[in-house]
């Protein structure tokens, strides 16, 4: 399009600037986008198109655009219109706002139990087709009035929703209801009860006090079906689980291990060989639950702090349905939380679940580093940095300096050192810097192969069901077959096109075949049956350290496994795995396209790892800087931690201020109920005061006496007022939540 046309007809820019000025907002790409959506006017009908077209032509001439240029632009537009799908009927603004807001809170609540009102409005505006800001705000207000959305008090800036709240409440309710169920029966040993005999045996071992407490609680005959083990980093949780498995098998119990990531699975497999991902269990429970008797089974969930509320709900459903004897939640609430919404491990501990605490850290062999880790656990960042001492490096380009510090090490020291950063973008840049230096050293081949790589789009369930989340060229892998569209499980497809009108994506199998149309909707499972990736290019060379990011069970490769490229051809790559044999992969396969360079790693990816030395890069202005990320980074090291930052004082202040603890729906709901209770109590006191101060009217004397009969004195009023508040407001609100959830179930049925 001719630039003069673009500039001349771009009249919305001034409207956007005026809207930002009126609201006192700065002009940034983010605020401009929000203003553009908020000031969008509804489409008008009844316009004389011929008259409008002539006025546009006149304006175009004023901009210096010739008839020839204009005719060419019109011809191209008419051609695209002829090729495109027929336009759909305009959607009702109220219905559109309803769909947009529902999409927004469904999308946001998958990642966070509590979200900002501004994020809800912005996401809804992006999803809206014809509605404007006023339509969105009216719909949000309606949902708040109906208690579908719950706002914080008193600012109303944060929100949660009834579905998220119900899941969190159900998790706590299930635990409370199971306090008399489950348990590990061990019988009598030498006139001692099973628990007492076990405690005597544990006292004779080399286990620390915390490890003994953890094993004893995990195998206790009482305490209910669910127990927790809060073990700080490096306290020997893995060794404690090995002992727990040993004693459990002696008493005739099978022990199964689960973890939220493949890295955590590999760690738990050391003491518990029968360990798999938690996702396998939850997926099977949601889709094809199997009837089994697990009354002689103990389940251990590793890295429980990374389990979302939804997955905890499904885990508890499975445990209750199959009668599991004991569920041991093993983790550290001071470390990183789940990517998805909820902190059930922390909520259960706050609610009073039986918990063993392992706080005798054994990993750190350097006393100063041990002190730094203990300070980090307490959130004392200034004291922790003082203990790290001269290993805190300050520079403007601290990320590059961190990479240079790793490159300055010998080959042997590099293998014992982990370079950790906060984000994937920074990790990618560090890896590029290191690879350039390694090529110069001759450590990796300069004759690499540029191959297609795939990066997961990480769509929420709401996004996966929306065609707007995909673009031509994306790659999707079928997790399940979609018979109505001809999609086959395990097949990989390329997005050939998008049909917005019919809400369909057009796929073509990479192995060849006709195009297939897949209808996406929140009301079908098509979106959740597809895993989407964005293609990019990545150079691979012999000698490269790599990490697999896509699982291939047939090849025995799991997400998170690491290795080094030992050979590469234009069509294949050979990888020597760090914990296994060598494997040759065709470059076009899904697992090969998921290979990433593995010189620097993110904090989230390295949670659970142990190395001799850590080089950490963390800035005071990075969004992910918090007490949790700082603690995870420095606690990976046995002997030495080097920290690179742009300003150590600002970093310490930011860490001490930012705990990294995420708010939960229950907390927001209780806050709202307390505020409402206070308002009602204040209103009652004010009403009572007004009644007493009202002038007496003889004509209304009988009515006054009737009103005053149950409460003739201030003392009587004080005694009777609490009677109206005797019912616990939280219990009342809980009844409302249950009633709403029952109505949702009825509608579903």
């Amino acid at each position: 399009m001719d630039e003069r046309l673009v500039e001349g007809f771009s009249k919305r820019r001034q409207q956007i600037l005026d809207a930002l000025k009126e609201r006192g907002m700065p002009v940034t790409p983010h605020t401009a986008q929000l203003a553009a959506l908020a000031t969008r006017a509804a489409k008008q009908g009844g316009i004389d198109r011929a008259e409008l077209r002539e006025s546009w032509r006149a304006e175009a001439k004023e901009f210096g655009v010739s008839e020839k240029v204009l005719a060419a632009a019109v011809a191209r537009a008419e051609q695209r219109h002829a090729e495109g799908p027929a336009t759909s009927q305009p959607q009702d603004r109220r219905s559109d706002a309803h769909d947009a807001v529902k999409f927004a809170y469904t999308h946001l609540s998958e990642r966070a139990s509590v979200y900002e009102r501004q994020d809800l409005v912005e996401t809804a505006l992006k999803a809206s087709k014809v509605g404007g800001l006023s339509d969105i705000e009216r719909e949000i207000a309606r949902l708040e009035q109906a208690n579908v959305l719950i706002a914080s008090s008193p600012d109303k800036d944060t929100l949660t929703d009834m579905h998220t709240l119900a899941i969190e409440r159900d998790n706590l309710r299930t635990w409370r209801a199971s306090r008399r169920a489950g348990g590990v029966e061990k019988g009598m040993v030498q006139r001692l009860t099973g628990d007492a005999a076990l405690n005597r045996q544990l006292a004779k071992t080399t286990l620390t006090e915390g490890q003994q407490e953890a094993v004893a609680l995990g195998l206790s005959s009482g305490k209910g079906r669910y127990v927790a083990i809060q073990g700080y980093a490096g306290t020997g949780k893995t060794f404690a689980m090995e002992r727990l498995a040993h004693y459990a098998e002696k008493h005739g119990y099978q022990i199964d291990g689960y973890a939220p990531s493949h890295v955590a699975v590999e760690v738990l497999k050391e003491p518990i060989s029968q360990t798999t991902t938690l996702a396998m269990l939850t997926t099977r429970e949601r889709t094809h639950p199997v009837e089994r008797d697990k009354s002689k089974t103990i389940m251990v969930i590793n890295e429980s702090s990374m389990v979302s509320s939804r997955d905890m709900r499904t885990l508890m459903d499975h445990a209750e349905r199959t009668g599991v004897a004991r569920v041991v939640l093993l983790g550290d609430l001071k470390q990183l939380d789940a990517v998805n919404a909820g902190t059930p491990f922390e909520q259960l501990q706050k609610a009073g679940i039986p918990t063993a605490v392992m706080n005798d850290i054994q990993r750190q062999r350097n006393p100063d580093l041990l002190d730094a880790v203990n300070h980090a656990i307490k959130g004392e960042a200034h004291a922790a940095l003082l203990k790290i001492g001269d290993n805190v490096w300050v520079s403007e380009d601290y990320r590059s300096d961190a990479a240079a510090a790793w490159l300055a090490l010998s080959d042997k020291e590099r293998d014992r050192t982990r370079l950790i950063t906060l984000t994937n973008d920074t990790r990618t840049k560090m890896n590029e810097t290191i690879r350039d230096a390694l090529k110069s050293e001759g450590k990796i081949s300069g004759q690499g192969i540029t191959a297609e790589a795939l990066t997961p789009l990480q769509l929420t369930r709401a996004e996966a069901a929306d065609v707007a989340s995909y673009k031509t060229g994306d790659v999707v892998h079928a997790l399940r077959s979609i018979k109505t569209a001809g999609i086959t499980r395990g097949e990989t497809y390329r997005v050939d096109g998008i049909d917005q009108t019919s809400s369909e994506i057009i796929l073509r199998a990479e192995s060849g075949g006709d195009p297939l149309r897949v209808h996406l909707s929140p009301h079908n499972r098509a979106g959740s049956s597809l895993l989407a990736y964005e293609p990019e290019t990545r150079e691979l060379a012999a000698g490269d350290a790599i990490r697999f990011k896509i699982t291939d069970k047939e090849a025995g490769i799991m997400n998170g496994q690491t290795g080094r490229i030992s050979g590469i051809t234009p069509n294949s790559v050979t990888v020597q795995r760090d914990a296994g044999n060598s494997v040759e992969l065709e470059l076009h396969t899904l697992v090969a396209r998921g290979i990433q360079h593995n010189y620097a790693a993110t904090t989230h990816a390295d949670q659970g790892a142990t190395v001799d030395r850590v080089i950490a890069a963390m800035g005071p202005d990075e969004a992910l800087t918090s007490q949790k990320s700082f603690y995870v980074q420095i606690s990976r090291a046995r002997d030495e931690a080097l920290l690179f930052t742009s300003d150590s004082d600002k970093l310490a202040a930011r860490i001490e201020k930012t705990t990294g603890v995420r708010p939960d729906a229950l907390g927001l709901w209780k806050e709202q109920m307390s505020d409402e209770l206070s308002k009602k109590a204040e209103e009652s006191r004010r009403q009572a005061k007004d009644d007493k101060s009202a002038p007496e009217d003889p004509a209304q004397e009988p009515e006054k006496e009737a009103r005053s009969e149950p409460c003739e004195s201030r003392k009587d009023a004080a005694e009777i007022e609490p009677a109206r508040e005797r019912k616990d407001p939280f219990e009342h609100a809980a009844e409302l939540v249950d009633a709403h959830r029952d109505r949702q179930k009825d509608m579903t049925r």
Side-chain angles (χ1 to χ4, degrees), residues 157 169 278:
D157 286 341
R169 289 189 64 254
L278 184 61

Side-chain angles (χ1 to χ4, degrees), residues 127-170:
S128 174
K129 296 179 177 62
V130 297
L133 178 60
S134 58
D135 302 299
I136 297 299
E137 289 180 335
R138 275 195 297 269
E139 177 63 14
I140 292 174
R142 186 187 71 80
L143 293 176
E144 287 184 70
Q145 187 68 27
N147 284 329
V148 175
L149 293 176
I150 304 167
S152 60
S153 297
D155 52 29
K156 307 290 185 182
D157 286 341
T158 54
L159 296 151
T160 188
D161 53 87
M162 190 64 69
H163 179 69
T164 301
L165 176 61
I167 292 176
E168 292 186 5
R169 289 189 64 254
D170 282 352

